[in-house]
PDB file of all heavy atoms in Angstrom:
ATOM      1  N   MET J   9     -15.166 -11.813  -7.237  1.00 52.00           N
ATOM      2  CA  MET J   9     -15.361 -10.599  -8.034  1.00 52.00           C
ATOM      3  C   MET J   9     -16.762 -10.027  -7.886  1.00 52.00           C
ATOM      4  O   MET J   9     -17.023  -8.903  -8.258  1.00 52.00           O
ATOM      5  CB  MET J   9     -15.085 -10.889  -9.512  1.00 52.00           C
ATOM      6  CG  MET J   9     -13.624 -11.104  -9.820  1.00 52.00           C
ATOM      7  SD  MET J   9     -13.330 -11.186 -11.606  1.00 52.00           S
ATOM      8  CE  MET J   9     -14.085 -12.754 -11.985  1.00 52.00           C
ATOM      9  N   ASN J  10     -17.688 -10.820  -7.371  1.00 50.00           N
ATOM     10  CA  ASN J  10     -19.089 -10.415  -7.320  1.00 50.00           C
ATOM     11  C   ASN J  10     -19.447  -9.645  -6.049  1.00 50.00           C
ATOM     12  O   ASN J  10     -20.600  -9.597  -5.666  1.00 50.00           O
ATOM     13  CB  ASN J  10     -19.994 -11.651  -7.418  1.00 50.00           C
ATOM     14  CG  ASN J  10     -20.153 -12.140  -8.835  1.00 50.00           C
ATOM     15  OD1 ASN J  10     -19.654 -11.517  -9.751  1.00 50.00           O
ATOM     16  ND2 ASN J  10     -20.826 -13.255  -9.004  1.00 50.00           N
ATOM     17  N   ARG J  11     -18.461  -9.028  -5.407  1.00 61.00           N
ATOM     18  CA  ARG J  11     -18.743  -8.335  -4.157  1.00 61.00           C
ATOM     19  C   ARG J  11     -19.517  -7.039  -4.394  1.00 61.00           C
ATOM     20  O   ARG J  11     -20.256  -6.600  -3.535  1.00 61.00           O
ATOM     21  CB  ARG J  11     -17.446  -8.054  -3.398  1.00 61.00           C
ATOM     22  CG  ARG J  11     -16.724  -9.325  -2.988  1.00 61.00           C
ATOM     23  CD  ARG J  11     -15.511  -9.026  -2.128  1.00 61.00           C
ATOM     24  NE  ARG J  11     -14.764 -10.234  -1.821  1.00 61.00           N
ATOM     25  CZ  ARG J  11     -15.093 -11.099  -0.867  1.00 61.00           C
ATOM     26  NH1 ARG J  11     -16.172 -10.879  -0.143  1.00 61.00           N
ATOM     27  NH2 ARG J  11     -14.359 -12.158  -0.634  1.00 61.00           N
ATOM     28  N   GLU J  12     -19.311  -6.416  -5.548  1.00 84.00           N
ATOM     29  CA  GLU J  12     -20.020  -5.170  -5.838  1.00 84.00           C
ATOM     30  C   GLU J  12     -21.389  -5.486  -6.405  1.00 84.00           C
ATOM     31  O   GLU J  12     -21.513  -6.076  -7.473  1.00 84.00           O
ATOM     32  CB  GLU J  12     -19.228  -4.315  -6.830  1.00 84.00           C
ATOM     33  CG  GLU J  12     -19.875  -2.949  -7.057  1.00 84.00           C
ATOM     34  CD  GLU J  12     -19.053  -2.051  -7.951  1.00 84.00           C
ATOM     35  OE1 GLU J  12     -17.938  -2.438  -8.321  1.00 84.00           O
ATOM     36  OE2 GLU J  12     -19.553  -0.956  -8.270  1.00 84.00           O
ATOM     37  N   ARG J  13     -22.409  -5.112  -5.690  1.00 92.00           N
ATOM     38  CA  ARG J  13     -23.777  -5.361  -6.128  1.00 92.00           C
ATOM     39  C   ARG J  13     -24.465  -4.037  -6.423  1.00 92.00           C
ATOM     40  O   ARG J  13     -24.126  -3.003  -5.853  1.00 92.00           O
ATOM     41  CB  ARG J  13     -24.558  -6.146  -5.072  1.00 92.00           C
ATOM     42  CG  ARG J  13     -23.983  -7.539  -4.811  1.00 92.00           C
ATOM     43  CD  ARG J  13     -24.828  -8.315  -3.838  1.00 92.00           C
ATOM     44  NE  ARG J  13     -24.260  -9.624  -3.579  1.00 92.00           N
ATOM     45  CZ  ARG J  13     -24.800 -10.526  -2.745  1.00 92.00           C
ATOM     46  NH1 ARG J  13     -25.928 -10.225  -2.105  1.00 92.00           N
ATOM     47  NH2 ARG J  13     -24.221 -11.687  -2.562  1.00 92.00           N
ATOM     48  N   ARG J  14     -25.433  -4.121  -7.308  1.00 95.00           N
ATOM     49  CA  ARG J  14     -26.151  -2.914  -7.706  1.00 95.00           C
ATOM     50  C   ARG J  14     -27.639  -3.208  -7.742  1.00 95.00           C
ATOM     51  O   ARG J  14     -28.070  -4.192  -8.349  1.00 95.00           O
ATOM     52  CB  ARG J  14     -25.679  -2.448  -9.082  1.00 95.00           C
ATOM     53  CG  ARG J  14     -26.413  -1.231  -9.612  1.00 95.00           C
ATOM     54  CD  ARG J  14     -25.972  -0.878 -11.019  1.00 95.00           C
ATOM     55  NE  ARG J  14     -26.768   0.207 -11.576  1.00 95.00           N
ATOM     56  CZ  ARG J  14     -26.704   0.613 -12.822  1.00 95.00           C
ATOM     57  NH1 ARG J  14     -25.858   0.024 -13.664  1.00 95.00           N
ATOM     58  NH2 ARG J  14     -27.467   1.608 -13.247  1.00 95.00           N
ATOM     59  N   LYS J  15     -28.403  -2.367  -7.098  1.00 97.00           N
ATOM     60  CA  LYS J  15     -29.854  -2.466  -7.167  1.00 97.00           C
ATOM     61  C   LYS J  15     -30.372  -1.450  -8.175  1.00 97.00           C
ATOM     62  O   LYS J  15     -29.954  -0.287  -8.155  1.00 97.00           O
ATOM     63  CB  LYS J  15     -30.480  -2.233  -5.798  1.00 97.00           C
ATOM     64  CG  LYS J  15     -30.168  -3.335  -4.797  1.00 97.00           C
ATOM     65  CD  LYS J  15     -30.895  -3.121  -3.477  1.00 97.00           C
ATOM     66  CE  LYS J  15     -30.614  -4.281  -2.514  1.00 97.00           C
ATOM     67  NZ  LYS J  15     -31.332  -4.105  -1.221  1.00 97.00           N
ATOM     68  N   VAL J  16     -31.244  -1.898  -9.062  1.00 97.00           N
ATOM     69  CA  VAL J  16     -31.830  -1.011 -10.063  1.00 97.00           C
ATOM     70  C   VAL J  16     -33.352  -1.063  -9.936  1.00 97.00           C
ATOM     71  O   VAL J  16     -33.936  -2.135  -9.784  1.00 97.00           O
ATOM     72  CB  VAL J  16     -31.386  -1.386 -11.497  1.00 97.00           C
ATOM     73  CG1 VAL J  16     -29.939  -1.038 -11.721  1.00 97.00           C
ATOM     74  CG2 VAL J  16     -31.610  -2.864 -11.782  1.00 97.00           C
ATOM     75  N   ALA J  17     -33.956   0.087  -9.980  1.00 98.00           N
ATOM     76  CA  ALA J  17     -35.415   0.175  -9.857  1.00 98.00           C
ATOM     77  C   ALA J  17     -36.072  -0.039 -11.219  1.00 98.00           C
ATOM     78  O   ALA J  17     -35.427   0.057 -12.268  1.00 98.00           O
ATOM     79  CB  ALA J  17     -35.807   1.536  -9.296  1.00 98.00           C
ATOM     80  N   THR J  18     -37.355  -0.329 -11.199  1.00 97.00           N
ATOM     81  CA  THR J  18     -38.118  -0.504 -12.437  1.00 97.00           C
ATOM     82  C   THR J  18     -37.940   0.703 -13.355  1.00 97.00           C
ATOM     83  O   THR J  18     -38.110   1.849 -12.937  1.00 97.00           O
ATOM     84  CB  THR J  18     -39.613  -0.674 -12.112  1.00 97.00           C
ATOM     85  OG1 THR J  18     -39.787  -1.771 -11.219  1.00 97.00           O
ATOM     86  CG2 THR J  18     -40.422  -0.926 -13.381  1.00 97.00           C
ATOM     87  N   GLY J  19     -37.543   0.436 -14.599  1.00 97.00           N
ATOM     88  CA  GLY J  19     -37.343   1.502 -15.568  1.00 97.00           C
ATOM     89  C   GLY J  19     -35.966   2.124 -15.557  1.00 97.00           C
ATOM     90  O   GLY J  19     -35.634   2.916 -16.451  1.00 97.00           O
ATOM     91  N   GLU J  20     -35.132   1.768 -14.587  1.00 98.00           N
ATOM     92  CA  GLU J  20     -33.794   2.343 -14.496  1.00 98.00           C
ATOM     93  C   GLU J  20     -32.860   1.688 -15.515  1.00 98.00           C
ATOM     94  O   GLU J  20     -32.925   0.489 -15.754  1.00 98.00           O
ATOM     95  CB  GLU J  20     -33.237   2.169 -13.086  1.00 98.00           C
ATOM     96  CG  GLU J  20     -31.893   2.844 -12.860  1.00 98.00           C
ATOM     97  CD  GLU J  20     -31.402   2.705 -11.434  1.00 98.00           C
ATOM     98  OE1 GLU J  20     -32.211   2.293 -10.568  1.00 98.00           O
ATOM     99  OE2 GLU J  20     -30.219   2.984 -11.187  1.00 98.00           O
ATOM    100  N   THR J  21     -31.965   2.483 -16.089  1.00 98.00           N
ATOM    101  CA  THR J  21     -31.012   1.985 -17.078  1.00 98.00           C
ATOM    102  C   THR J  21     -29.828   1.309 -16.402  1.00 98.00           C
ATOM    103  O   THR J  21     -29.220   1.878 -15.486  1.00 98.00           O
ATOM    104  CB  THR J  21     -30.498   3.138 -17.961  1.00 98.00           C
ATOM    105  OG1 THR J  21     -31.606   3.713 -18.664  1.00 98.00           O
ATOM    106  CG2 THR J  21     -29.474   2.648 -18.969  1.00 98.00           C
ATOM    107  N   VAL J  22     -29.511   0.101 -16.850  1.00 97.00           N
ATOM    108  CA  VAL J  22     -28.322  -0.610 -16.370  1.00 97.00           C
ATOM    109  C   VAL J  22     -27.100  -0.093 -17.117  1.00 97.00           C
ATOM    110  O   VAL J  22     -26.078   0.247 -16.519  1.00 97.00           O
ATOM    111  CB  VAL J  22     -28.475  -2.126 -16.569  1.00 97.00           C
ATOM    112  CG1 VAL J  22     -27.218  -2.871 -16.135  1.00 97.00           C
ATOM    113  CG2 VAL J  22     -29.688  -2.651 -15.793  1.00 97.00           C
ATOM    114  N   TYR J  23     -27.176  -0.040 -18.432  1.00 97.00           N
ATOM    115  CA  TYR J  23     -26.172   0.609 -19.274  1.00 97.00           C
ATOM    116  C   TYR J  23     -26.862   1.053 -20.555  1.00 97.00           C
ATOM    117  O   TYR J  23     -27.844   0.461 -20.985  1.00 97.00           O
ATOM    118  CB  TYR J  23     -24.971  -0.288 -19.577  1.00 97.00           C
ATOM    119  CG  TYR J  23     -25.313  -1.660 -20.119  1.00 97.00           C
ATOM    120  CD1 TYR J  23     -25.635  -1.848 -21.461  1.00 97.00           C
ATOM    121  CD2 TYR J  23     -25.295  -2.760 -19.288  1.00 97.00           C
ATOM    122  CE1 TYR J  23     -25.938  -3.106 -21.957  1.00 97.00           C
ATOM    123  CE2 TYR J  23     -25.606  -4.023 -19.771  1.00 97.00           C
ATOM    124  CZ  TYR J  23     -25.919  -4.190 -21.095  1.00 97.00           C
ATOM    125  OH  TYR J  23     -26.235  -5.433 -21.584  1.00 97.00           O
ATOM    126  N   GLY J  24     -26.346   2.128 -21.139  1.00 96.00           N
ATOM    127  CA  GLY J  24     -26.942   2.683 -22.344  1.00 96.00           C
ATOM    128  C   GLY J  24     -26.143   2.332 -23.584  1.00 96.00           C
ATOM    129  O   GLY J  24     -24.975   1.936 -23.498  1.00 96.00           O
ATOM    130  N   GLU J  25     -26.770   2.487 -24.723  1.00 95.00           N
ATOM    131  CA  GLU J  25     -26.083   2.257 -25.988  1.00 95.00           C
ATOM    132  C   GLU J  25     -24.932   3.249 -26.134  1.00 95.00           C
ATOM    133  O   GLU J  25     -25.110   4.454 -25.976  1.00 95.00           O
ATOM    134  CB  GLU J  25     -27.072   2.409 -27.143  1.00 95.00           C
ATOM    135  CG  GLU J  25     -26.493   2.052 -28.494  1.00 95.00           C
ATOM    136  CD  GLU J  25     -27.545   2.075 -29.592  1.00 95.00           C
ATOM    137  OE1 GLU J  25     -28.752   2.110 -29.254  1.00 95.00           O
ATOM    138  OE2 GLU J  25     -27.159   2.063 -30.772  1.00 95.00           O
ATOM    139  N   GLY J  26     -23.738   2.728 -26.399  1.00 95.00           N
ATOM    140  CA  GLY J  26     -22.558   3.566 -26.523  1.00 95.00           C
ATOM    141  C   GLY J  26     -21.792   3.778 -25.236  1.00 95.00           C
ATOM    142  O   GLY J  26     -20.692   4.359 -25.255  1.00 95.00           O
ATOM    143  N   ASP J  27     -22.333   3.307 -24.100  1.00 97.00           N
ATOM    144  CA  ASP J  27     -21.610   3.439 -22.831  1.00 97.00           C
ATOM    145  C   ASP J  27     -20.351   2.579 -22.838  1.00 97.00           C
ATOM    146  O   ASP J  27     -20.334   1.496 -23.434  1.00 97.00           O
ATOM    147  CB  ASP J  27     -22.500   3.005 -21.666  1.00 97.00           C
ATOM    148  CG  ASP J  27     -23.543   4.042 -21.302  1.00 97.00           C
ATOM    149  OD1 ASP J  27     -23.515   5.141 -21.898  1.00 97.00           O
ATOM    150  OD2 ASP J  27     -24.382   3.758 -20.431  1.00 97.00           O
ATOM    151  N   PRO J  28     -19.287   3.030 -22.157  1.00 96.00           N
ATOM    152  CA  PRO J  28     -18.064   2.219 -22.072  1.00 96.00           C
ATOM    153  C   PRO J  28     -18.352   0.854 -21.439  1.00 96.00           C
ATOM    154  O   PRO J  28     -19.144   0.754 -20.497  1.00 96.00           O
ATOM    155  CB  PRO J  28     -17.146   3.051 -21.180  1.00 96.00           C
ATOM    156  CG  PRO J  28     -17.650   4.446 -21.307  1.00 96.00           C
ATOM    157  CD  PRO J  28     -19.139   4.327 -21.483  1.00 96.00           C
ATOM    158  N   PHE J  29     -17.727  -0.180 -21.985  1.00 94.00           N
ATOM    159  CA  PHE J  29     -17.893  -1.542 -21.479  1.00 94.00           C
ATOM    160  C   PHE J  29     -16.874  -1.794 -20.374  1.00 94.00           C
ATOM    161  O   PHE J  29     -15.670  -1.772 -20.618  1.00 94.00           O
ATOM    162  CB  PHE J  29     -17.701  -2.541 -22.622  1.00 94.00           C
ATOM    163  CG  PHE J  29     -17.629  -3.974 -22.180  1.00 94.00           C
ATOM    164  CD1 PHE J  29     -18.643  -4.536 -21.434  1.00 94.00           C
ATOM    165  CD2 PHE J  29     -16.535  -4.760 -22.522  1.00 94.00           C
ATOM    166  CE1 PHE J  29     -18.588  -5.859 -21.027  1.00 94.00           C
ATOM    167  CE2 PHE J  29     -16.467  -6.093 -22.123  1.00 94.00           C
ATOM    168  CZ  PHE J  29     -17.492  -6.639 -21.372  1.00 94.00           C
ATOM    169  N   GLN J  30     -17.377  -2.018 -19.164  1.00 93.00           N
ATOM    170  CA  GLN J  30     -16.514  -2.307 -18.030  1.00 93.00           C
ATOM    171  C   GLN J  30     -16.883  -3.608 -17.334  1.00 93.00           C
ATOM    172  O   GLN J  30     -16.003  -4.309 -16.836  1.00 93.00           O
ATOM    173  CB  GLN J  30     -16.587  -1.161 -17.009  1.00 93.00           C
ATOM    174  CG  GLN J  30     -16.047   0.167 -17.512  1.00 93.00           C
ATOM    175  CD  GLN J  30     -16.218   1.251 -16.478  1.00 93.00           C
ATOM    176  OE1 GLN J  30     -17.343   1.661 -16.143  1.00 93.00           O
ATOM    177  NE2 GLN J  30     -15.098   1.711 -15.933  1.00 93.00           N
ATOM    178  N   TYR J  31     -18.168  -3.899 -17.291  1.00 92.00           N
ATOM    179  CA  TYR J  31     -18.634  -5.022 -16.490  1.00 92.00           C
ATOM    180  C   TYR J  31     -19.533  -5.957 -17.298  1.00 92.00           C
ATOM    181  O   TYR J  31     -20.240  -5.525 -18.204  1.00 92.00           O
ATOM    182  CB  TYR J  31     -19.471  -4.533 -15.293  1.00 92.00           C
ATOM    183  CG  TYR J  31     -18.764  -3.585 -14.364  1.00 92.00           C
ATOM    184  CD1 TYR J  31     -18.953  -2.207 -14.479  1.00 92.00           C
ATOM    185  CD2 TYR J  31     -17.932  -4.062 -13.358  1.00 92.00           C
ATOM    186  CE1 TYR J  31     -18.320  -1.326 -13.617  1.00 92.00           C
ATOM    187  CE2 TYR J  31     -17.291  -3.183 -12.490  1.00 92.00           C
ATOM    188  CZ  TYR J  31     -17.492  -1.824 -12.626  1.00 92.00           C
ATOM    189  OH  TYR J  31     -16.864  -0.950 -11.775  1.00 92.00           O
ATOM    190  N   LEU J  32     -19.524  -7.217 -16.910  1.00 91.00           N
ATOM    191  CA  LEU J  32     -20.645  -8.104 -17.172  1.00 91.00           C
ATOM    192  C   LEU J  32     -21.547  -8.028 -15.953  1.00 91.00           C
ATOM    193  O   LEU J  32     -21.072  -7.810 -14.829  1.00 91.00           O
ATOM    194  CB  LEU J  32     -20.166  -9.545 -17.387  1.00 91.00           C
ATOM    195  CG  LEU J  32     -19.316  -9.786 -18.640  1.00 91.00           C
ATOM    196  CD1 LEU J  32     -18.839 -11.227 -18.677  1.00 91.00           C
ATOM    197  CD2 LEU J  32     -20.077  -9.444 -19.908  1.00 91.00           C
ATOM    198  N   HIS J  33     -22.837  -8.190 -16.155  1.00 93.00           N
ATOM    199  CA  HIS J  33     -23.801  -8.054 -15.068  1.00 93.00           C
ATOM    200  C   HIS J  33     -24.527  -9.390 -14.860  1.00 93.00           C
ATOM    201  O   HIS J  33     -25.265  -9.834 -15.740  1.00 93.00           O
ATOM    202  CB  HIS J  33     -24.824  -6.962 -15.386  1.00 93.00           C
ATOM    203  CG  HIS J  33     -24.227  -5.601 -15.550  1.00 93.00           C
ATOM    204  ND1 HIS J  33     -23.539  -5.227 -16.691  1.00 93.00           N
ATOM    205  CD2 HIS J  33     -24.198  -4.521 -14.725  1.00 93.00           C
ATOM    206  CE1 HIS J  33     -23.127  -3.983 -16.561  1.00 93.00           C
ATOM    207  NE2 HIS J  33     -23.509  -3.533 -15.390  1.00 93.00           N
ATOM    208  N   ALA J  34     -24.292 -10.009 -13.717  1.00 91.00           N
ATOM    209  CA  ALA J  34     -24.990 -11.245 -13.356  1.00 91.00           C
ATOM    210  C   ALA J  34     -26.264 -10.872 -12.600  1.00 91.00           C
ATOM    211  O   ALA J  34     -26.214 -10.143 -11.605  1.00 91.00           O
ATOM    212  CB  ALA J  34     -24.100 -12.136 -12.497  1.00 91.00           C
ATOM    213  N   ILE J  35     -27.399 -11.349 -13.082  1.00 94.00           N
ATOM    214  CA  ILE J  35     -28.693 -10.982 -12.499  1.00 94.00           C
ATOM    215  C   ILE J  35     -28.988 -11.891 -11.303  1.00 94.00           C
ATOM    216  O   ILE J  35     -29.164 -13.098 -11.456  1.00 94.00           O
ATOM    217  CB  ILE J  35     -29.823 -11.092 -13.535  1.00 94.00           C
ATOM    218  CG1 ILE J  35     -29.472 -10.289 -14.789  1.00 94.00           C
ATOM    219  CG2 ILE J  35     -31.141 -10.607 -12.942  1.00 94.00           C
ATOM    220  CD1 ILE J  35     -30.439 -10.506 -15.933  1.00 94.00           C
ATOM    221  N   ARG J  36     -29.023 -11.320 -10.118  1.00 94.00           N
ATOM    222  CA  ARG J  36     -29.367 -12.081  -8.903  1.00 94.00           C
ATOM    223  C   ARG J  36     -30.878 -12.196  -8.743  1.00 94.00           C
ATOM    224  O   ARG J  36     -31.390 -13.225  -8.314  1.00 94.00           O
ATOM    225  CB  ARG J  36     -28.770 -11.409  -7.668  1.00 94.00           C
ATOM    226  CG  ARG J  36     -27.257 -11.550  -7.554  1.00 94.00           C
ATOM    227  CD  ARG J  36     -26.738 -10.854  -6.311  1.00 94.00           C
ATOM    228  NE  ARG J  36     -27.413 -11.303  -5.107  1.00 94.00           N
ATOM    229  CZ  ARG J  36     -27.058 -12.379  -4.414  1.00 94.00           C
ATOM    230  NH1 ARG J  36     -26.053 -13.125  -4.818  1.00 94.00           N
ATOM    231  NH2 ARG J  36     -27.708 -12.712  -3.310  1.00 94.00           N
ATOM    232  N   SER J  37     -31.586 -11.129  -9.078  1.00 95.00           N
ATOM    233  CA  SER J  37     -33.049 -11.154  -8.995  1.00 95.00           C
ATOM    234  C   SER J  37     -33.599 -10.108  -9.949  1.00 95.00           C
ATOM    235  O   SER J  37     -32.928  -9.125 -10.277  1.00 95.00           O
ATOM    236  CB  SER J  37     -33.534 -10.869  -7.564  1.00 95.00           C
ATOM    237  OG  SER J  37     -33.148  -9.567  -7.153  1.00 95.00           O
ATOM    238  N   GLY J  38     -34.836 -10.336 -10.409  1.00 96.00           N
ATOM    239  CA  GLY J  38     -35.475  -9.372 -11.282  1.00 96.00           C
ATOM    240  C   GLY J  38     -35.422  -9.750 -12.755  1.00 96.00           C
ATOM    241  O   GLY J  38     -35.018 -10.858 -13.120  1.00 96.00           O
ATOM    242  N   THR J  39     -35.814  -8.806 -13.601  1.00 96.00           N
ATOM    243  CA  THR J  39     -35.890  -9.019 -15.048  1.00 96.00           C
ATOM    244  C   THR J  39     -35.391  -7.769 -15.761  1.00 96.00           C
ATOM    245  O   THR J  39     -35.747  -6.647 -15.383  1.00 96.00           O
ATOM    246  CB  THR J  39     -37.338  -9.294 -15.490  1.00 96.00           C
ATOM    247  OG1 THR J  39     -37.886 -10.347 -14.693  1.00 96.00           O
ATOM    248  CG2 THR J  39     -37.397  -9.707 -16.962  1.00 96.00           C
ATOM    249  N   LEU J  40     -34.578  -7.967 -16.811  1.00 98.00           N
ATOM    250  CA  LEU J  40     -34.052  -6.863 -17.606  1.00 98.00           C
ATOM    251  C   LEU J  40     -34.510  -6.992 -19.049  1.00 98.00           C
ATOM    252  O   LEU J  40     -34.875  -8.070 -19.502  1.00 98.00           O
ATOM    253  CB  LEU J  40     -32.519  -6.854 -17.579  1.00 98.00           C
ATOM    254  CG  LEU J  40     -31.818  -6.874 -16.214  1.00 98.00           C
ATOM    255  CD1 LEU J  40     -30.305  -6.829 -16.409  1.00 98.00           C
ATOM    256  CD2 LEU J  40     -32.289  -5.726 -15.335  1.00 98.00           C
ATOM    257  N   LYS J  41     -34.459  -5.864 -19.761  1.00 97.00           N
ATOM    258  CA  LYS J  41     -34.784  -5.826 -21.196  1.00 97.00           C
ATOM    259  C   LYS J  41     -33.671  -5.098 -21.926  1.00 97.00           C
ATOM    260  O   LYS J  41     -33.236  -4.028 -21.500  1.00 97.00           O
ATOM    261  CB  LYS J  41     -36.104  -5.095 -21.420  1.00 97.00           C
ATOM    262  CG  LYS J  41     -36.477  -4.895 -22.897  1.00 97.00           C
ATOM    263  CD  LYS J  41     -37.666  -3.956 -23.051  1.00 97.00           C
ATOM    264  CE  LYS J  41     -37.304  -2.508 -22.755  1.00 97.00           C
ATOM    265  NZ  LYS J  41     -38.417  -1.561 -23.029  1.00 97.00           N
ATOM    266  N   SER J  42     -33.199  -5.687 -23.039  1.00 96.00           N
ATOM    267  CA  SER J  42     -32.222  -5.027 -23.895  1.00 96.00           C
ATOM    268  C   SER J  42     -32.893  -4.566 -25.182  1.00 96.00           C
ATOM    269  O   SER J  42     -33.815  -5.222 -25.674  1.00 96.00           O
ATOM    270  CB  SER J  42     -31.063  -5.975 -24.235  1.00 96.00           C
ATOM    271  OG  SER J  42     -30.345  -6.322 -23.070  1.00 96.00           O
ATOM    272  N   SER J  43     -32.433  -3.448 -25.732  1.00 96.00           N
ATOM    273  CA  SER J  43     -33.024  -2.938 -26.974  1.00 96.00           C
ATOM    274  C   SER J  43     -31.964  -2.229 -27.805  1.00 96.00           C
ATOM    275  O   SER J  43     -30.930  -1.766 -27.291  1.00 96.00           O
ATOM    276  CB  SER J  43     -34.174  -1.980 -26.678  1.00 96.00           C
ATOM    277  OG  SER J  43     -33.725  -0.875 -25.921  1.00 96.00           O
ATOM    278  N   LEU J  44     -32.228  -2.148 -29.105  1.00 93.00           N
ATOM    279  CA  LEU J  44     -31.345  -1.499 -30.061  1.00 93.00           C
ATOM    280  C   LEU J  44     -32.054  -0.296 -30.672  1.00 93.00           C
ATOM    281  O   LEU J  44     -33.265  -0.347 -30.921  1.00 93.00           O
ATOM    282  CB  LEU J  44     -30.944  -2.476 -31.168  1.00 93.00           C
ATOM    283  CG  LEU J  44     -30.193  -3.732 -30.741  1.00 93.00           C
ATOM    284  CD1 LEU J  44     -30.150  -4.733 -31.892  1.00 93.00           C
ATOM    285  CD2 LEU J  44     -28.794  -3.392 -30.275  1.00 93.00           C
ATOM    286  N   ALA J  45     -31.307   0.771 -30.926  1.00 91.00           N
ATOM    287  CA  ALA J  45     -31.873   1.950 -31.579  1.00 91.00           C
ATOM    288  C   ALA J  45     -31.889   1.740 -33.084  1.00 91.00           C
ATOM    289  O   ALA J  45     -30.898   1.307 -33.669  1.00 91.00           O
ATOM    290  CB  ALA J  45     -31.054   3.183 -31.226  1.00 91.00           C
ATOM    291  N   LEU J  46     -33.032   2.039 -33.722  1.00 89.00           N
ATOM    292  CA  LEU J  46     -33.191   1.901 -35.170  1.00 89.00           C
ATOM    293  C   LEU J  46     -33.333   3.283 -35.800  1.00 89.00           C
ATOM    294  O   LEU J  46     -33.616   4.269 -35.104  1.00 89.00           O
ATOM    295  CB  LEU J  46     -34.432   1.050 -35.470  1.00 89.00           C
ATOM    296  CG  LEU J  46     -34.439  -0.376 -34.928  1.00 89.00           C
ATOM    297  CD1 LEU J  46     -35.760  -1.051 -35.283  1.00 89.00           C
ATOM    298  CD2 LEU J  46     -33.257  -1.173 -35.439  1.00 89.00           C
ATOM    299  N   PRO J  47     -33.158   3.376 -37.119  1.00 87.00           N
ATOM    300  CA  PRO J  47     -33.355   4.672 -37.790  1.00 87.00           C
ATOM    301  C   PRO J  47     -34.753   5.225 -37.523  1.00 87.00           C
ATOM    302  O   PRO J  47     -35.729   4.471 -37.407  1.00 87.00           O
ATOM    303  CB  PRO J  47     -33.170   4.320 -39.267  1.00 87.00           C
ATOM    304  CG  PRO J  47     -32.283   3.121 -39.265  1.00 87.00           C
ATOM    305  CD  PRO J  47     -32.684   2.331 -38.050  1.00 87.00           C
ATOM    306  N   GLY J  48     -34.846   6.524 -37.425  1.00 85.00           N
ATOM    307  CA  GLY J  48     -36.137   7.159 -37.187  1.00 85.00           C
ATOM    308  C   GLY J  48     -36.529   7.225 -35.729  1.00 85.00           C
ATOM    309  O   GLY J  48     -37.673   7.571 -35.401  1.00 85.00           O
TER     310      GLY J  48
END
């Protein structure tokens, strides 16, 4: 299943809050950050 690979550049969004859930993302290399939107 892991044949489709995706390269993301620094600062690029992997998925956004509210985006449809289709994939789990296995990290082959690099570092990601997740965040939640708060009031204000």
Side-chain angles (χ1 to χ4, degrees):
M9 288 189 290
N10 280 356
R11 297 185 184 280
E12 185 176 355
R13 297 184 181 180
R14 177 184 174 188
K15 292 184 177 181
V16 289
T18 303
E20 185 177 348
T21 298
V22 177
Y23 51 80
E25 186 174 346
D27 284 355
F29 171 56
Q30 295 177 293
Y31 302 98
L32 294 176
H33 298 76
I35 307 172
R36 288 180 54 85
S37 63
T39 308
L40 307 181
K41 175 190 72 174
S42 296
S43 60
L44 299 167
L46 300 178

